[in-house]
């Protein structure tokens, strides 16, 4: 039977000789990256439930810092994934230049699945970072795309793990210093590569060793995380060089995502004839004079934002449930609060269940009358709730049965 000759690699085709890269090194980096992706995905699902809550799974009001933890972990792991995926791609990118580029239908499917995984992951992480910066150079709804793209990333990751499982098992079992050399030349004739490598002699690793790569990677990722989580973990705030928002720099010691000027409500919010319309079975109106004369309740609640920053604060204001009862509702009512802002994405929000019982319509923050950028004259604040759903500059409260 005639045999088909193997394709000859062109002389201009890229060649790589480093002995640092190996299946063992890649598998170890990939394990950490996979865990980070999994944690980021699960905490992201919890964040998505803030926007579209399940009627049979309402968010609890206690502990009030729960969302602060889950969203802080979500953003921290997403931040860690940025350098991690860069290191992972560095460890395998010579595979892009294996010759021939596609050896079979199965190999083509494998490379196509990797392309989907890499592209979706990079878009997901980059746009997530842009969202933390409040910068949206893309023309789509970030919340919707970010949520659905997460399923693409996790699906592609699980497919990749299934395809590469023999190599992953070999890489994690092999000794780091003794494992195969991923970029040994010639690849196509290398009998000791990937999951069929078995026991191989230790390769020479000039300069930085494989253990050195892992150590440097761990230190680097650790520094990135430690200098960014100060926006949530307040004891680390002094070293938060990469923290996008820091509570010391915000008015009344709380950061601001969207200012009153950006919302275009400065005149409406400071108008002397401002009123809060409360609708329901027994509608009524609250004026500025009513706010000044009202008996206020104080509570310690964190403000948590989807961008990853959060800070504990002392709030004082009207108990929302008291307003609901006065309007003819009760603890099981669904309440919609509406902002003075017009045309924004989060100009209203709905609250109910356990959160309603502890929610305040705040007039004061950290002992001072609300700053205009924090929602003056009145804003919602509730436990375990995304910051964008704690609506500012209130104009109306709608009590539903």
């Amino acid at each position: 039977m005639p045999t088909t000759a193997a394709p000859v690699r062109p002389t201009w085709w890229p060649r790589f000789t480093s002995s640092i890269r190996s299946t063992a090194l890649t598998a170890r980096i990939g394990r950490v990256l996979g865990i980070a992706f999994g944690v980021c995905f699960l905490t992201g699902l919890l964040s998505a439930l803030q926007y579209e809550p399940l009627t049979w799974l309402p968010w609890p009001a206690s502990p009030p810092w729960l969302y602060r933890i889950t969203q802080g972990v979500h953003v921290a792991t997403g931040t860690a994934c940025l350098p991690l995926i860069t290191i992972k791609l560095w460890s395998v990118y010579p595979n892009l230049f294996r010759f021939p580029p596609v050896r079979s239908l199965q190999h083509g499917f494998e490379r196509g699945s990797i392309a989907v995984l890499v592209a979706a992951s990079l878009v997901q992480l980059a746009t997530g970072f842009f969202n933390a910066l409040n910068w949206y150079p893309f023309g789509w709804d970030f919340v919707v795309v970010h949520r659905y793209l997460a399923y693409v990333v996790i699906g592609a990751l699980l497919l990749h793990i299934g395809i590469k499982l023999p190599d992953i098992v070999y890489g994690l079992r092999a000794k780091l210093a003794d494992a195969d050399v991923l970029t040994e030349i010639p690849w196509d004739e290398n009998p000791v590569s990937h999951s069929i490598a078995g026991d191989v002699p230790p390769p020479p690793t000039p300069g930085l060793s494989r253990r050195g790569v892992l150590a440097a990677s761990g230190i680097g990722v650790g520094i990135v995380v430690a200098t960014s989580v100060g926006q949530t973990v307040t004891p680390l705030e002094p070293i938060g060089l990469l923290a996008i928002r820091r509570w010391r720099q915000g008015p009344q010691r709380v950061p601001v995502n969207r200012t009153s000027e950006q919302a275009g409500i400065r005149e409406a919010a400071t108008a002397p004839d401002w009123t809060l319309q409360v609708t329901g079975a027994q509608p009524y109106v609250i004026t500025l004079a009513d706010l000044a004369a009202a008996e206020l309740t104080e509570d310690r609640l964190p403000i948590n934002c989807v961008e990853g920053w959060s800070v504990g604060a002392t709030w004082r204001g009207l108990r929302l449930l008291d307003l609901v009862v006065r309007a003819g509702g009760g603890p099981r009512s669904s309440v919609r609060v509406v902002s003075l802002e017009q045309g924004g994405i989060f100009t209203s929000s709905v609250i109910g269940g356990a959160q309603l019982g502890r929610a305040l319509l705040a007039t004061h923050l950290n002992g001072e009358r609300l700053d205009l950028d924090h929602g003056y004259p009145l804003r919602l604040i509730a436990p375990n709730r995304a910051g964008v759903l704690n609506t500012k500059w209130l104009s109306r409260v709608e009590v539903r049965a």
Side-chain angles (χ1 to χ4, degrees), residues 273-279 282-287 290 326:
D273 60 347
W274 170 90
T275 59
L276 178 72
Q277 306 287 331
V278 183
T279 65
Q282 303 168 20
Y284 58 95
V285 174
I286 294 177
T287 65
D290 295 329
R326 181 180 169 187

Side-chain angles (χ1 to χ4, degrees), residues 102 106-118 156 159 163:
V102 178
Q106 179 181 350
H107 185 237
F109 177 74
E110 174 187 329
R111 304 204 80 173
S113 66
I114 293 174
V116 171
L117 173 60
V118 172
L159 179 61
I163 293 174

Side-chain angles (χ1 to χ4, degrees), residues 54-260:
L54 302 174
T55 55
W56 54 269
L57 187 63
W59 269 84
S62 182
W65 39 259
L66 180 61
Y67 184 73
R68 182 180 189 180
I69 297 297
T70 60
Q71 191 63 13
V73 169
H74 178 71
V75 174
T77 53
T79 301
C81 285
L82 286 167
L84 276 172
I85 197 171
T86 303
I87 298 166
K88 176 70 159 56
L89 291 176
W90 168 85
S91 75
V92 296
Y93 87 92
N95 282 331
L96 292 173
F97 302 97
R98 286 186 180 273
F99 192 85
V102 178
R103 297 189 296 273
S104 65
L105 182 61
Q106 179 181 350
H107 185 237
F109 177 74
E110 174 187 329
R111 304 204 80 173
S113 66
I114 293 174
V116 171
L117 173 60
V118 172
S121 299
L122 292 177
V123 171
Q124 184 78 336
L125 293 174
T127 54
F129 182 68
F130 293 159
N131 175 68
L133 295 173
N134 269 348
W135 181 44
Y136 304 98
F138 38 86
W140 61 74
D141 185 326
F142 168 78
V143 173
V144 174
V145 174
H146 195 67
R147 178 175 56 195
Y148 288 111
L149 192 58
Y151 292 104
V152 176
V153 171
I154 290 299
L157 176 61
L158 293 175
L159 179 61
H160 178 64
I161 292 172
I163 293 174
K164 287 293 188 180
L165 191 57
D167 290 345
I168 294 171
V169 172
Y170 162 73
L172 293 178
R173 287 179 176 175
K175 293 183 179 180
L176 188 62
D178 299 345
D180 66 326
V181 176
L182 186 62
T183 53
E184 185 176 336
I185 292 179
W187 283 315
D188 304 321
E189 294 80 25
N190 181 10
V192 288
S193 63
H194 299 306
S195 56
I196 61 171
D199 295 327
V200 295
T205 53
L208 189 64
S209 68
R210 293 172 179 174
R211 294 189 185 280
V213 170
L214 288 182
S217 300
I219 292 171
V221 172
I223 291 174
V224 169
V225 173
T227 55
S228 62
V229 298
Q231 60 185 359
T232 296
V233 184
T234 49
L236 295 179
E237 195 268 350
I239 64 169
L241 302 178
L242 299 181
I244 297 172
R245 291 170 186 82
R246 303 169 71 174
W247 65 268
R248 297 177 190 268
Q249 299 173 351
Q252 299 177 294
R253 302 182 300 284
V254 173
V256 171
N257 268 5
R258 187 168 178 79
T259 66
S260 55

Side-chain angles (χ1 to χ4, degrees), residues 50 58-70 299-304 311 313 315 320 350-361 379-387 389-390:
Q50 288 275 329
W59 269 84
S62 182
W65 39 259
L66 180 61
Y67 184 73
R68 182 180 189 180
I69 297 297
T70 60
D299 201 353
R300 181 78 179 176
L301 295 172
I303 179 76
N304 328 283
V311 63
W315 304 87
L320 178 56
V350 176
I351 183 169
Q355 289 184 337
L356 175 60
R358 195 169 172 180
L360 295 179
L361 298 188
R379 71 165 296 164
L380 174 68
I381 183 71
N384 283 340
R385 194 169 174 86
L389 301 180
N390 283 320

